[in-house]
């Protein structure tokens, strides 16, 4: 979108500039005091010939080739615009300063000043668009960052409450912990950036603990309070590690393109995902 806007702005500026340059040629070279210069230059460049006989008048030229013939300078400028512009450019170059320049402008007026204004206008519009797009992207990143930080804190808070209650009662309701886990997992799945960072965020989302409630028994035997505490502590350790990984993902420019994404060596334990 930005590239297309810049191209359109540049094309519009060029079109206006071309129109302005053409208008300046018409006004300057066809003015009464410059018509002789235009005619002489056209004859010297052999774009036109002198009319045969005096009947044509001093303001007439003879154009060779098909579509030519004897015509006034005005008709020649209209019907043979390419030749006229070439000759007029030569007249302008020979005149030195561009038409319309004045001493107090230092030669920056007329066509040159007009074109400078056009290009500055186009550049200003392009910079405005770039600034607006940059601000929008920054605002979206800040919003995602705040949402992700809040989701991490909420998951940790609810997970800690569940783990504390689980140590006392293995049948403790797990629904709130699952809800907070899914909210955090959904935000991690939306982390933007290079492919390695997105992949690291997806792996982290998949590895979040507490997919299901922690076990109340193993091999047919109820877990003792000490064993349940070990299960809960393992989840707490995993949460601590994952919190640091989320902080890495939130950095403005993390180096996720380096070989070996962060978190790939995360330890597996009873605190990992429970199916």
């Amino acid at each position: 979108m930005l590239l297309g806007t810049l191209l359109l702005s540049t094309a519009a500026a060029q079109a206006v500039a071309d129109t302005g340059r053409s208008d300046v040629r018409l006004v300057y070279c066809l003015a009464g005091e410059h018509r002789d210069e235009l005619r002489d230059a056209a004859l010297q460049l052999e774009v036109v010939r002198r009319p045969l006989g005096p009947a044509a008048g001093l303001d007439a030229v003879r154009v060779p080739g098909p579509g030519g013939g004897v015509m006034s300078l005005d008709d020649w400028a209209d019907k043979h615009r390419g030749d006229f512009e070439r000759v007029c450019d030569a007249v302008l170059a020979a005149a030195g300063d561009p038409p319309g320049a004045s001493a107090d402008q230092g030669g920056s007026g007329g066509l040159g000043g007009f074109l400078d204004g056009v290009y500055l206008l186009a550049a200003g519009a392009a910079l405005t668009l770039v600034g607006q797009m940059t601000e929008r992207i920054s605002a979206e990143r800040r919003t995602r960052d705040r949402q992700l930080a809040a989701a991490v804190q909420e998951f940790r808070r609810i997970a800690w409450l569940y783990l504390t209650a689980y140590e006392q009662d293995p049948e403790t309701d797990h629904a709130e912990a699952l809800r907070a886990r899914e909210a955090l997992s959904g935000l991690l799945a939306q982390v933007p950036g290079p492919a390695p960072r997105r992949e690291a965020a997806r792996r982290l989302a998949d590895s979040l603990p507490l997919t299901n409630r922690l076990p109340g028994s193993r091999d047919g035997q109820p877990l003792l309070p000490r064993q349940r505490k070990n299960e809960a502590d393992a989840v707490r350790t995993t949460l601590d590690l994952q919190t640091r990984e989320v902080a890495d993902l939130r950095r403005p420019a993390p180096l996720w393109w380096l070989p070996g994404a962060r978190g790939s060596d995360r330890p597996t334990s009873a605190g990992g995902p429970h199916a």
Side-chain angles (χ1 to χ4, degrees):
M1 183 184 300
L2 176 59
L3 179 58
T5 302
L6 291 175
L7 290 175
L8 287 175
S9 298
T10 303
Q14 185 62 45
V16 173
D18 291 343
T19 300
R21 184 181 293 109
S22 180
D23 290 343
V24 168
R25 292 192 187 100
L26 288 172
V27 171
Y28 183 83
C29 290
L30 291 177
E33 64 270 26
H34 299 297
R35 295 176 79 90
D36 288 344
E37 298 174 30
L38 177 67
R39 186 171 182 269
D40 290 344
L43 290 170
Q44 291 175 8
L45 294 175
E46 297 184 349
V47 174
V48 298
R49 302 285 189 272
R50 294 184 185 276
L52 299 177
L58 296 177
D59 195 45
V61 293
R62 181 168 57 87
V63 181
V70 178
M71 59 187 71
S72 68
L73 287 175
D74 297 282
D75 290 340
W76 171 64
D78 181 58
K79 297 178 181 179
H80 299 271
R81 181 58 61 90
D83 289 340
F84 163 73
E85 291 182 348
R86 172 191 167 198
V87 174
C88 187
D89 284 343
V91 172
L92 288 172
D97 291 340
S102 60
D104 60 340
Q105 291 174 322
S108 61
L111 179 59
F114 174 79
L115 294 180
D116 288 344
V118 170
Y119 291 137
L120 286 174
L121 180 63
L127 288 175
T128 298
L129 290 173
V130 171
Q132 290 174 346
M133 180 170 292
T134 300
E135 177 56 29
R136 180 176 62 80
I137 293 173
S138 297
E140 291 175 352
R141 185 185 63 79
R142 290 192 297 268
T143 298
R144 284 193 301 265
D145 185 72
R146 288 193 297 268
Q147 292 174 340
L148 188 56
V152 169
Q153 294 303 317
E154 180 70 358
F155 182 45
R156 282 177 58 87
R157 183 183 69 82
I158 293 179
W160 248 253
L161 291 175
Y162 168 73
L163 294 172
T164 300
Y166 164 78
E167 292 178 10
Q168 304 300 321
D169 179 9
E171 300 301 320
T172 295
D173 186 19
H174 162 264
E176 283 298 304
L178 179 60
R179 179 194 60 77
R181 181 194 185 279
E182 290 177 345
L184 176 56
S185 178
L187 288 173
L188 286 171
Q190 300 175 25
V191 169
R197 183 169 72 166
R198 294 198 304 270
E199 179 61 27
R202 283 193 293 268
R203 283 201 306 271
L204 182 57
D206 293 339
S207 69
L208 292 174
L210 301 181
T211 304
N212 293 308
R213 68 172 63 191
L214 295 182
S217 62
R218 183 170 289 117
D219 298 329
Q221 298 296 322
L223 295 180
L224 299 175
R226 175 180 56 80
Q227 293 172 310
R228 293 200 300 273
K229 185 177 186 310
N230 289 340
E231 291 282 336
D233 285 343
V235 175
R236 293 187 182 103
T237 299
T238 299
L239 285 174
D240 286 339
L241 293 173
Q242 291 176 334
T243 298
R244 289 193 291 271
E245 292 182 30
V246 173
D248 288 338
L249 290 172
R250 291 170 51 206
R251 289 184 299 173
L255 300 180
W256 286 109
W257 53 269
L258 291 175
R262 286 177 175 269
S264 60
D265 56 348
R266 188 166 41 250
T268 56
S269 70
H274 291 270

